[in-house]
Amino acid sequence: RAVVHGEEGEGSAASRRVIFGEANAMRAVALLSGGKDSVYSLLKAVQHGHEVVAIGHLAAPAETVEADSMMFQSVGSQVVPAIATECLGLPFFSIPFERDSALNTDLHYKPTANDEVESITQLLRLVCSTVPHVEAVLSGAILSDYQRIRVESVCERLGLRSLAFLWQRTQAELLREMVACGMEAVLIKIGCMGLQVSHLGKSLAELEPHLLHLEEQFGAHVCGEGGEYETLVLDMPFYASRVVIDAVQNHVLTADKYAPVAVQVIEQFHLEKKDAFVPITSGISPLGPPPLGLSIAASIIEGTSTNAVAPTNAVAP
């Protein structure tokens, strides 16, 4: 069943075609930064019946405290290989991206040689040449059209589907879900009014009330979609081991009294085996079945594809 929204118009939201209905289960590679959004997307993908078969990571440039990329999280990058291989037990693929390589910053991205986005293309080609039958790419995009469009551009060129289960979710509701599901995430970067260096290393569960207060007081994005903060997930139901931080170093990048920018670099960590966990390869999501009355919607936008959640009672024209 399908419905076409709005009037015709090249490049406009009104020209979007959305096809409703349960999508077939797909074999997906997850783009993992180590942060809460990409990690929570693993739970949502399995909840909707997909199989996560590999982890892809765009690694921070060597000797870089903070790359300040428009696409990739760099803080905490050194922990991701252990999360992928030891905690999740999945094949891991990684290539570095170059600092200051956002050469094409137009919203509607066109492939640009040496742009940081092309690092995703190289990474996914590597994955697809090694792991059989990869069909989709999973990301944790919530609000950024800039990021979503670029992932979709790469997917379109490689013949892959783009899965973004968190896209345009209500952020307060999404944050509550993340905390409630047993995911332990700590702040490793701060950069907004109301967050201080002392908040680095604190958990989302501990800071949830404060983040909601910042939303009310300053209009902050409670999931950090405006660059307010970044996180590292130390534990979640799919992890076979929990990440334990042994030593950190805080770096203040902008010493503003009211809105400092600072990062927490992980200098040492170790893993602690858990007595109980749900293997990601089991196909069982600790979140349970998808919410009643919702299904996966595959939307095709200007020749590219993404995933969203849409009502199953959409009427075909």
Side-chain angles (χ1 to χ4, degrees):
R1 40 175 85 171
V3 57
V4 180
H5 293 282
E7 300 173 353
E8 295 182 358
E10 182 179 358
S12 70
S15 66
R16 175 167 52 189
R17 170 170 290 196
V18 182
I19 303 173
F20 297 99
E22 292 295 337
N24 294 328
M26 288 181 279
R27 289 168 55 86
V29 53
L31 297 179
L32 200 73
S33 69
K36 61 178 177 48
D37 303 335
S38 62
V39 171
Y40 188 65
S41 291
L42 299 173
L43 289 164
K44 298 301 291 184
V46 174
Q47 181 187 40
H48 283 271
H50 300 295
E51 180 184 3
V52 181
V53 296
I55 298 295
H57 176 63
L58 281 304
E63 308 301 324
T64 299
V65 172
E66 163 59 12
D68 197 26
S69 165
M70 298 179 71
M71 281 295 297
F72 313 122
Q73 176 175 314
S74 57
V75 187
S77 180
Q78 71 274 30
V79 185
V80 177
I83 290 175
T85 59
E86 301 295 327
C87 299
L88 294 170
L90 291 173
F92 177 68
F93 300 84
S94 179
I95 64 171
F97 66 91
E98 295 296 326
R99 187 186 178 119
D100 300 322
S101 57
L103 305 181
N104 182 347
T105 57
D106 293 341
L107 177 60
H108 294 287
Y109 178 79
K110 294 182 179 179
T112 303
N114 300 318
D115 189 277
E116 63 180 0
V117 173
E118 299 312 309
S119 299
I120 307 177
T121 309
Q122 297 174 36
L123 175 64
L124 293 180
R125 281 181 174 148
L126 175 62
V127 175
C128 292
S129 69
T130 308
V131 179
H133 310 303
V134 174
E135 302 164 279
V137 178
L138 177 66
S139 70
I142 297 176
L143 191 62
S144 172
D145 277 314
Y146 182 93
Q147 294 176 353
R148 176 185 62 80
I149 288 170
R150 279 155 173 75
V151 172
E152 290 176 353
S153 169
V154 174
C155 288
E156 180 185 20
R157 285 179 274 151
L158 298 181
L160 300 169
R161 295 287 298 278
S162 175
L163 306 181
F165 289 99
L166 312 187
W167 183 245
Q168 293 188 343
R169 289 285 308 278
T170 301
Q171 291 188 44
E173 178 185 79
L174 184 56
L175 180 63
R176 178 90 292 275
E177 286 182 14
M178 291 178 177
V179 171
C181 80
M183 193 171 74
E184 181 187 355
V186 296
L187 269 62
I188 55 173
K189 180 179 180 180
I190 53 101
C192 79
M193 188 82 72
L195 288 178
Q196 297 294 325
V197 176
S198 59
H199 290 120
L200 291 171
K202 294 188 181 297
S203 71
L204 279 183
E206 183 179 358
L207 291 177
E208 182 182 11
H210 183 60
L211 294 172
L212 292 171
H213 173 70
L214 296 183
E215 178 187 43
E216 181 179 349
Q217 189 172 16
F218 302 120
H221 296 271
V222 297
C223 281
E225 287 301 289
E228 290 85 351
Y229 67 90
E230 292 177 355
T231 61
L232 179 68
V233 177
L234 305 182
D235 195 14
M236 58 92 80
F238 284 152
Y239 281 13
S241 298
R242 181 180 181 274
V243 179
V244 179
I245 305 301
D246 299 313
V248 300
Q249 181 68 46
N250 292 341
H251 294 261
V252 177
L253 307 180
T254 303
D256 186 281
K257 180 179 180 180
Y258 301 104
V261 178
V263 298
Q264 184 169 89
V265 175
I266 311 300
E267 295 191 331
Q268 294 181 17
F269 71 94
H270 71 275
L271 303 179
E272 288 185 351
K273 287 285 187 182
K274 292 161 55 176
D275 293 331
F277 70 102
V278 180
I280 191 170
T281 54
S282 69
I284 300 171
S285 174
L287 300 179
L292 188 64
L294 296 180
S295 68
I296 300 171
S299 66
I300 302 173
I301 306 174
E302 297 177 354
T304 62
S305 62
T306 185
N307 253 33
V309 175
T312 58
N313 60 352
V315 178

